[in-house]
């Protein structure tokens, strides 16, 4: 992760540049802004957007049906009242952790390689949190009464249960969404001003002009802007850690076997970063190819992200090991049975797939050849995404389907509407993402310009 | 023809080092109402045009404090004053359970203050600003750096200020109509 690391450790090679050679302010500005202003609506973009939009319509259909018929269209049955909805909620919100991590923590750590990927990682965060937020609302059964979760003066004289982690979740997720959105928007302001100044069409000038709010790059403004960005980064850093911690409280504060454990918060946060980076890779690899951004999102970026994935993956593996050990060491019959049930029960296939996807296959990232091979890296990122989804399924479903009383045990199976809801949120996610890459600069122009300036200062005579 | 009022004069530079040097010399020459514009944040440029500190961090601290007090106060008020419920003799004010909400609202309050405070102190949104009357100023968001002496400066005299800026070897000097 250390940006200077390869020089010190390897001792043989200079670190690869973070951006390709020969770039100036003008070329990077033109390259990134032309995707929005002149790249236009390519056939590939339209094709992808239409697929995403069809899936979004599928989501529309499912939600309508859900409103009419109720959550019974899903496979949730007692004892497994938390089926796909919670699995998908935790999965999406986990994905939503990489963006703020990249833009906040890596900003504070002065990791320059973050500049080319933070913008779309943040966009990914916002869209993933939107998808995540849908699931608990739909899972309530009566989504139109969602405002019961908010503390507001009401004729029943009731308050939300402030001792419940589910209410903490409402505060954590909505705060996370708001702060991520603010952070993203603040980063966009100077870039929107660039688009305003470069736009040719009247409509684009007006819209980007309004969004950039009259930004003119005054030195005094920049100074306050940088203070605000640093403060936001400092605030967002503990926030990222707190969000998945609170999500893990949803489980740990319950007494279900396999949930009531103290390792959950750190292990959930590591898992979230793991899946988030996997998703950034899944998105970055096709985008850099399609929009020819190889000299901005370089091999070095991909390799560094692979290393972050490897490291967080090892933390997750440690979590799995401790989970199994604590089940044994607790001496509690139900905890021990939970672990036995994971390995031998009806869902054992998923458990072994989880181990393969999250622990075994990602070990290939130790090899430099794999880290530098784009197809392999893309494959591993998809595997990790799948693995992290399986992890949530294993945690939610295996524990619930067989708890304390054998007479209440039942096997949970998702219905086609469960799958349709899940696919539908992909529609929402990718529709928003396609709109984002079409209408907003997907790489921070200002930060890349600063990077060009810094790198030219380091080597003034080359 | 009626002379249009002037907001100031502006000089265009090609590198951050040039504009930084120019800003320092302008200030040394006694001009106080000056501003610089750049496509990237330039270290030291704000200080060079006479900006010394911002109250933003203080506001952010107060915003966070307000958020935190709201969070804790709300949980406490709901469970101790408004709707006390005795569950197995447990204390009404079970404060560790208020911490997650207190924490989240602290962050929310501070972040909202940071963004809204930054915009407010910068006077954004600004629907109209005279600097945009200079056609070359569009380059300030790509790769050019500008230094402006405002007409409200006590020492300001159009011809003198223009001559002074010319002396800094800029790429060009422009009058800004108000």
């Amino acid at each position: 992760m250390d940006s200077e690391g390869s020089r010190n450790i390897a001792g043989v090679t200079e670190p690869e540049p973070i951006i390709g050679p020969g770039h100036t302010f003008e070329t990077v500005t033109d390259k990134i802004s032309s995707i929005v202003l002149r790249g236009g609506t390519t056939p590939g973009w339209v094709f992808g957007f239409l697929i995403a939009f069809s899936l979004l319509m599928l989501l529309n259909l499912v939600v309508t049906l859900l409103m009419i018929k109720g959550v019974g269209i899903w496979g949730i049955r007692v004892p497994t009242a938390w089926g796909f909805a919670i699995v998908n909620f935790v999965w999406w919100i986990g994905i939503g952790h990489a963006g703020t991590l990249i833009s906040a923590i890596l900003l504070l750590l002065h990791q320059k390689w973050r500049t080319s990927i933070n913008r779309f990682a943040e966009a990914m965060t916002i869209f993933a949190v939107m998808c995540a937020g849908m699931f608990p609302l739909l899972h309530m059964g009566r989504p139109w009464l969602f405002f019961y979760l908010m503390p507001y003066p009401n004729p029943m004289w009731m308050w939300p249960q402030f001792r419940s982690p589910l209410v903490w979740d409402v505060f954590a997720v909505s705060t996370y969404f708001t702060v991520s959105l603010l952070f993203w928007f603040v980063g966009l302001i100077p870039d929107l001003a660039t688009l305003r100044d470069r736009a040719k069409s009247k409509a684009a000038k007006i819209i980007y002009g309004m969004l950039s709010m009259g930004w003119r790059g005054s030195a005094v403004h920049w100074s306050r802007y940088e203070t605000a960005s640093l403060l936001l980064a400092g605030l967002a850093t503990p926030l990222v850690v707190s969000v998945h911690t609170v999500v893990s409280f949803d489980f740990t504060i319950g007494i279900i076997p396999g949930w009531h454990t103290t390792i959950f918060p750190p292990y959930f946060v590591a898992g979230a970063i793991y899946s988030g980076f996997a998703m950034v890779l899944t998105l970055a690899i096709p985008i850099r190819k399609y929009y020819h951004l190889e000299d901005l999102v370089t091999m070095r970026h991909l390799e560094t992200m692979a290393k972050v994935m490897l490291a967080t993956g090892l933390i997750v593996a440690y979590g799995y090991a401790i989970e199994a050990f604590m089940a044994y060491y607790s001496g509690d019959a139900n905890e021990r049975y939970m672990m036995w049930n994971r390995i031998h029960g009806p869902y054992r296939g998923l458990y072994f797939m989880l181990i393969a996807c999250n622990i075994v296959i990602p070990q290939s990232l130790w090899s430099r050849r794999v880290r530098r091979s784009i197809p392999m890296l893309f494959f591993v990122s998809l595997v990790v995404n799948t693995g992290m989804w399986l992890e949530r399924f294993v945690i939610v479903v295996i524990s619930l389907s067989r708890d304390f009383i054998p007479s209440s045990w039942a096997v949970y199976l998702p219905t086609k509407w469960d799958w349709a809801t899940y696919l539908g949120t992909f529609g929402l996610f990718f529709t928003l993402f396609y709109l984002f890459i079409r209408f907003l600069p997907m790489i921070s122009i200002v930060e890349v310009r600063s990077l060009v300036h810094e790198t030219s200062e380091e080597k003034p005579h080359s | 023809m009626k002379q249009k009022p002037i907001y100031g004069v502006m000089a265009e530079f090609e590198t951050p080092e040039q504009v930084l040097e120019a800003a320092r010399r302008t200030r040394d020459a006694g001009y106080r109402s000056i501003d610089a514009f750049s496509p990237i944040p330039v270290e030291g440029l704000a200080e060079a045009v006479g900006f010394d500190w911002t109250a933003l961090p203080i506001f952010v601290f107060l915003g966070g404090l307000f958020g935190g007090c709201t969070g804790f106060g709300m949980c406490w008020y709901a469970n101790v004053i408004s709707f006390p419920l005795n569950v197995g003799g447990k204390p009404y004010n079970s404060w560790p359970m208020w911490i997650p909400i207190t924490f989240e609202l602290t962050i929310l309050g501070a972040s909202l203050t940071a963004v809204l405070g930054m915009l407010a102190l910068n006077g954004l949104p600004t629907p109209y600003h005279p600097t945009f009357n200079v056609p070359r100023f569009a380059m300030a968001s790509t790769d050019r750096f500008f230094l402006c002496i405002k007409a409200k400066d006590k020492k300001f005299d159009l011809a003198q200020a223009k001559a002074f800026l010319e002396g800094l070897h800029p790429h060009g000097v422009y009058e800004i109509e108000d």
Side-chain angles (χ1 to χ4, degrees), chain A residues 53-125:
Chain A
F53 194 71
S54 327
L55 288 175
L56 177 61
M57 291 302 106
L58 178 67
L59 181 70
N60 237 337
L61 178 78
V62 185
V63 172
T64 311
L65 194 72
L66 190 84
M67 297 269 188
I68 296 169
K69 294 203 163 188
V71 285
I73 63 168
W74 287 343
I76 47 175
R77 303 279 182 277
V78 169
T80 313
W82 280 12
F84 259 38
I86 306 303
V87 175
N88 297 338
F89 163 66
V90 182
W91 187 72
W92 274 121
I93 202 133
I95 286 172
H97 273 59
T100 312
L101 179 99
I102 290 172
S103 40
I105 299 182
L106 299 186
L107 175 78
L108 296 179
L109 295 176
H110 296 288
Q111 296 293 316
K112 286 177 199 157
W113 58 272
R114 60 180 270 289
T115 45
S116 314
I117 52 171
N118 66 345
R119 173 68 50 71
F120 66 76
E122 281 172 49
M124 178 195 85
T125 288

Side-chain angles (χ1 to χ4, degrees), chain B:
Chain B
M1 202 181 98
K2 193 171 164 256
Q3 179 78 31
K4 282 201 172 169
I6 290 288
Y7 173 80
V9 270
M10 188 185 259
E12 176 183 341
F13 298 90
E14 281 167 19
T15 68
E17 291 75 22
Q18 286 172 355
V19 77
L20 192 57
E21 178 59 27
R24 286 190 180 131
R25 283 175 57 187
T26 312
R27 216 171 139 71
D28 289 345
Y31 289 106
R32 284 293 171 268
S33 266
I34 59 175
D35 200 354
F37 304 90
S38 58
I40 58 166
V42 179
E43 207 176 327
L45 192 56
E47 289 73 17
V49 297
F51 174 78
D52 41 13
W53 78 291
T54 171
L56 191 60
I58 299 171
F59 291 146
V60 172
F61 174 76
L62 293 176
L65 196 66
F66 175 75
C69 292
T70 308
F72 196 93
M74 180 174 67
C75 295
W76 172 82
Y77 175 77
N79 287 285
V80 178
I81 309 286
S82 173
F83 206 119
L85 194 63
N86 191 332
V87 181
K90 288 175 184 155
Y92 294 137
N93 186 26
S94 52
W95 67 267
M97 306 302 260
W98 317 154
I99 297 302
I101 291 179
T102 307
F103 174 80
E104 299 298 340
L105 290 189
T106 306
I107 300 285
L108 185 65
S111 307
L112 282 173
T113 320
V115 175
L116 298 179
M118 183 271 285
L119 293 178
L121 291 172
N122 282 350
L124 299 175
T126 313
Y128 170 79
H129 197 269
T131 46
F132 289 106
N133 292 334
V134 177
R136 288 288 297 172
F137 190 65
M139 299 303 287
S141 66
T142 301
D143 61 350
R144 291 306 165 105
F145 299 78
F146 291 84
L147 181 70
C148 161
I149 303 179
K150 296 175 194 167
K152 68 179 181 191
D153 194 295
K154 285 196 192 80
K155 209 177 159 235
F156 187 83
D157 171 86
L158 184 58
Q160 264 184 16
K162 272 178 93 169
F164 176 78
L165 285 177
E166 292 285 2
L168 299 171
H169 311 295
H171 186 269
V173 173
Y174 320 100
E175 287 177 22
I176 312 168
E177 288 175 359
D178 202 357

Side-chain angles (χ1 to χ4, degrees), chain A residues 196-320:
Chain A
R196 170 199 67 203
D197 292 341
R198 296 178 76 88
K200 296 278 180 288
S201 83
K202 184 105 184 152
K205 269 186 203 301
I206 291 176
I207 294 169
Y208 290 123
M210 274 159 60
L211 287 173
S212 62
M213 298 192 295
W215 178 265
R216 51 193 184 276
S218 151
V220 176
H221 290 188
W222 273 122
S223 172
R224 292 200 192 96
Y225 178 91
E226 292 223 291
T227 307
S229 302
L230 266 179
L231 285 171
L232 273 178
L235 291 164
T237 301
L239 180 66
V240 181
V241 178
S242 84
V243 175
H244 228 60
T245 302
V246 169
V247 170
S248 80
F249 285 166
D250 291 345
F251 297 94
T252 52
I253 288 186
I255 53 161
I256 302 290
W259 290 6
H260 198 55
T261 152
T262 47
I263 194 149
F264 262 30
Y267 142 60
F268 264 50
V269 172
I273 296 165
Y274 191 32
S275 65
F277 270 88
M279 195 52 134
V280 174
L281 275 175
T282 309
L283 295 172
I285 289 172
I287 288 177
R288 79 194 269 275
K289 175 109 186 107
Y290 188 77
Y291 288 102
H292 307 294
L293 295 170
E294 283 94 343
D295 50 350
L296 293 177
V297 182
T298 58
M299 242 4 256
R300 168 134 172 234
H301 290 98
L302 302 184
E303 201 179 343
T304 314
M305 284 194 272
K307 285 179 189 164
V308 175
M309 252 167 64
L310 183 60
T312 48
L314 288 172
I315 302 176
V316 170
Y318 173 77
Y320 295 159

